[in-house]
Amino acid sequence: MREKIRVGIVGLGFMGGIHLLKLSKIKNAVVSAVFDTDRAKYEGIKDRSIVRCSDYKELVNIVDAIIISSPSTTHYFYTKYFLNEGVHCLCEKPPVMRMRELMSLISIAQRNGLVYNVVMPERANRMVVDILSSVAKSGYVFFADRVAPSYDRSLDTSVLFDIMIHDIDILKEAIPSKIKRVSANGLSLVGADADLLNVRIEYENGGFAILNASRMAKDKKRLLRIFYDGGYISADLIKGSYHRIIFEGGRMVVRKKRVSNTKNDPIMVIDRDFIDSILRGKKSKFSADTLIDVMGVCNLIERRTIFVRKSDLLTY
């Protein structure tokens, strides 16, 4: 294995640019080549040693690993191609939008002995990790509100895969019970799929979860509330703070308030983990096979969603 992993990037949009910056700070990695269908994006790359490819297939002979940050609808195509060519892959979320596609890619990666990871930033968010450690899989009620402006979101897929997938990933770790029932309502305002989504999940243990996601907001908001055996946690993931409440003698008592003032750089953590996984052959918590349950819930929500377009709404 090389001392430095040669990395390529497919897609030089917002996230592609972030990965380019983070990789430049990882000593065991070097960005060797990039590809984007929009050649104008090459103009922003100052490092002249990076090969600007005119075709994605050119990267195969230049890199050991690839980061896929192209539009969501192309993730399956590019990941399948590079895994079949023996290239390690780190893909932006969503990795795909169908379970059969995810299982197919996992199978190719395992057969070829390759690392296939997915960018799931909340798994690298220190505050989320700390919250889930406190909940310890004993949650029974879960509320999540995650909204963002449309101008910095990908509109080529539903808000379910664009935004809500993060909270489904957290929810999976908070409430261990099996799902009993799912209902959902989605509304399309500017995209082809849902831009706003409200989901209610009921569990066999009597618990429930309510998730709201929107990419039609003025400002970003990421709020979590989790009731668990030890009490209640309310978190603001944008501000990086949360407080924990416990129940004593029928009263709610605030026992701890914590503000995360430590440096928190999830993308750097994920990119460095990707390189380490290749060099050391270690299993990663960002491995695509850890998203099987998440993808299952996403596909279930899709099937249960009552979907409406703005043009279909009745006016009075």
Side-chain angles (χ1 to χ4, degrees), residues 273-292:
D273 175 90
F274 179 48
I275 300 303
D276 288 345
S277 295
I278 297 170
L279 288 171
R280 301 176 185 177
K282 70 180 184 71
K283 180 68 178 290
S284 169
K285 68 177 180 180
F286 304 104
S287 179
D289 58 9
T290 65
L291 267 76
I292 292 174

Side-chain angles (χ1 to χ4, degrees), residues 124-143:
N125 184 326
R126 294 177 182 177
M127 190 172 72
V128 172
V129 171
D130 189 66
I131 288 171
L132 290 176
S133 176
S134 298
V135 173
K137 292 185 179 292
S138 68
Y140 53 87
V141 175
F142 183 101
F143 297 97

